[in-house]
Amino acid sequence: FQRDPVEVDEFGYPVYHQVADTRSLDDGMYYFTGLAAGFYKVYVAGVNHNYTNEFVGGQQCPDWDCNINDPANGTELEVDGINPNAGQDVLLDYSGSRIFGTIRRQGEGPLSSRYGHVRVEVYDAGGGGVGHAYINEIGQYWLDDLAPGEYRLVTNHNVEVHNLLDQVYGFGECDVAFGCDPMAGTTVTVNAPTEEVPNATTEVEFNLRSGATLSGNVSDGGTGLDGVEVCVTRRDGWWLRCTRADGDGNYTVLGLPWENDLLAFVNNTNGYPVLTETYDNVPGHDWDNGTGLDLSDGVEGGIDFVLEPGYTISGRVLIDGTSTPLVGASVCIHYQSTGGWTGACGGTDDNGEYTTEALPPGSDYVAYVIPESQGYQLQMYAGENCPANWCDFSLATPIPLGPNAPGID
């Protein structure tokens, strides 16, 4: 970095600009040639090899980027254009202990991810987070500058990019429903560097299995439905993963466990006037009567949904005594006879207008607005406030559906 002969910073100190960089050779030697006469600071970036960053002159960098412009950092070297400035040696200190390894996909070799989609997380022996490191284009990771001790490791990745099943070191695959518990695994011992072993590196490898996939199409019987959400659960109701259909109604749920008796269902219709459904052709979200799906081979395709038409409730929510719309409130629909939620709601827009998700025809529906986050009281249709924010739906006005029910304000 060359000192600018004119420019100074806001405190009047000289400003330095990078003019060159080089790499050390196999014998550790480095060279800068062709430098103009002037004053320079030089530092060695040793952190990529688990050493400290250090200025030529012997001072360790106080920050990761060495903060060249701080006058307290580094020693200036003068280049006069005549005499070689040789012998500017640096003895780097080892920055601490390291965990190093490679993440591989089973049967395919090292992963490649240069964009932060796969990482290894490190926890202390008690499960407290310590840090993380992303893999490079050949699947390698480094967890540097660790104090000697016991650590736990967990992989974490973007399932939409790599479709893997994460692991806890010493335990195995994480449960997709519950995530990764670092305390389930075994600890990795990291030793202190010594004179005999200055690079105290512990190697930990991961071999991840691809996630199972489930795919199909969602339509209204003629047209694929864009953006409809399809979810997969276990029979006991524990949610696994969801995805949304593309413009043609096609979907693929990634990162699923290789298990049988899983259930697939349409969870959100993205505003289409159609009914939710559990595969195969079971109305609503039905964990008892849905058809179990076998993903023990890793792939299941052709899980198609043809959704039946339904009816919606719509209207407007205003602040009492005004024409001012209430924005961001939810209007939800319950069964009057049981008080149970139908699963259908709608949110108010900037005009206070809402439209619920579709429901089957019937006359057992009641609506109420949930404006608590805006500081207003719960209210049932039509105009019946809920005392103490508890609603007695037997006092609400029933709303018949089939056809649609607009004007429920």
Side-chain angles (χ1 to χ4, degrees):
F1 292 79
Q2 184 178 22
R3 187 215 295 176
D4 192 294
V6 177
E7 185 180 0
V8 295
D9 65 15
E10 59 184 299
F11 302 107
Y13 294 122
V15 171
Y16 295 79
H17 300 288
Q18 183 173 354
V19 294
D21 62 71
T22 189
R23 289 186 178 275
S24 57
L25 304 178
D26 290 345
D27 60 0
M29 293 294 294
Y30 72 93
Y31 303 87
F32 288 105
T33 60
L35 297 176
F39 294 90
Y40 294 83
K41 288 183 181 180
V42 180
Y43 80 85
V44 179
V47 68
N48 292 336
H49 299 276
N50 211 27
Y51 292 92
T52 56
N53 291 342
E54 190 162 319
F55 288 99
V56 170
Q59 179 189 2
Q60 288 186 7
C61 298
D63 304 297
W64 71 270
D65 64 353
C66 288
N67 195 6
I68 286 289
N69 289 320
D70 189 330
N73 293 342
T75 300
E76 273 197 338
L77 304 174
E78 183 178 5
V79 173
D80 59 14
I82 301 174
N83 300 306
N85 211 324
Q88 301 298 334
D89 298 339
V90 179
L91 180 63
L92 298 180
D93 292 323
Y94 194 68
S95 64
S97 301
R98 157 188 284 186
I99 297 174
F100 163 83
T102 303
I103 298 182
R104 295 176 172 85
R105 185 190 297 271
Q106 287 186 13
E108 297 185 20
L111 288 171
S112 179
S113 183
R114 299 176 60 188
Y115 304 105
H117 296 305
V118 183
R119 72 186 192 184
V120 176
E121 298 174 347
V122 60
Y123 299 82
D124 61 27
V130 174
H132 64 266
Y134 292 98
I135 67 170
N136 61 17
E137 63 272 16
I138 57 174
Q140 296 175 332
Y141 71 93
W142 296 266
L143 292 158
D144 289 332
D145 201 20
L146 296 172
E150 301 293 319
Y151 296 93
R152 302 177 186 273
L153 302 181
V154 175
T155 66
N156 189 337
H157 79 291
N158 184 334
V159 71
E160 297 297 327
V161 176
H162 289 286
N163 185 32
L164 298 165
L165 296 175
D166 284 314
Q167 290 183 5
V168 176
Y169 178 74
F171 170 76
E173 290 176 358
C174 306
D175 190 303
V176 175
F178 300 104
C180 298
D181 179 9
M183 296 300 292
T186 57
T187 58
V188 174
T189 301
V190 172
N191 296 314
T194 64
E195 185 174 342
E196 293 78 17
V197 187
N199 292 354
T201 298
T202 302
E203 187 169 354
V204 178
E205 305 287 302
F206 287 95
N207 196 21
L208 304 185
R209 183 165 59 156
S210 295
T213 62
L214 183 139
S215 60
N217 182 268
V218 184
S219 74
D220 60 4
T223 304
L225 302 180
D226 182 21
V228 169
E229 186 179 50
V230 179
C231 296
V232 178
T233 70
R234 293 191 174 108
R235 177 75 67 177
D236 59 11
W238 287 108
W239 291 55
L240 299 174
R241 296 198 185 277
C242 298
T243 192
R244 289 192 179 271
D246 64 18
D248 296 319
N250 298 318
Y251 74 91
T252 300
V253 185
L254 303 172
L256 294 169
W258 295 46
E259 298 176 4
N260 59 22
D261 203 27
L262 301 181
L263 300 179
F265 61 95
V266 172
N267 182 55
N268 183 296
T269 60
N270 198 31
Y272 291 104
V274 291
L275 302 176
T276 60
E277 175 184 305
T278 301
Y279 187 82
D280 185 18
N281 201 33
V282 178
H285 304 164
D286 193 329
W287 284 272
D288 294 324
N289 298 306
T291 299
L293 302 171
D294 187 358
L295 271 69
S296 57
D297 291 332
V299 179
E300 182 73 17
I303 307 302
D304 299 335
F305 295 87
V306 179
L307 303 182
E308 297 293 327
Y311 302 98
T312 62
I313 296 171
S314 60
R316 198 166 182 230
V317 179
L318 304 176
I319 297 174
D320 189 25
T322 74
S323 59
T324 304
L326 188 61
V327 179
S330 295
V331 178
C332 292
I333 312 303
H334 284 240
Y335 298 107
Q336 187 169 45
S337 58
T338 65
W341 180 43
T342 64
C345 289
T348 58
D349 61 17
D350 290 343
N351 295 317
E353 296 175 348
Y354 74 92
T355 299
T356 69
E357 295 168 310
L359 291 164
S363 58
D364 192 27
Y365 301 119
V366 292
Y368 78 116
V369 61
I370 309 172
E372 293 169 291
S373 62
Q374 292 88 350
Y376 295 91
Q377 191 172 1
L378 296 176
Q379 186 182 101
M380 298 178 291
Y381 181 79
E384 185 73 34
N385 287 327
C386 301
N389 284 334
W390 179 84
C391 296
D392 181 356
F393 293 118
S394 67
L395 303 177
T397 301
I399 303 169
L401 277 180
N404 295 329
I408 307 302
D409 300 339

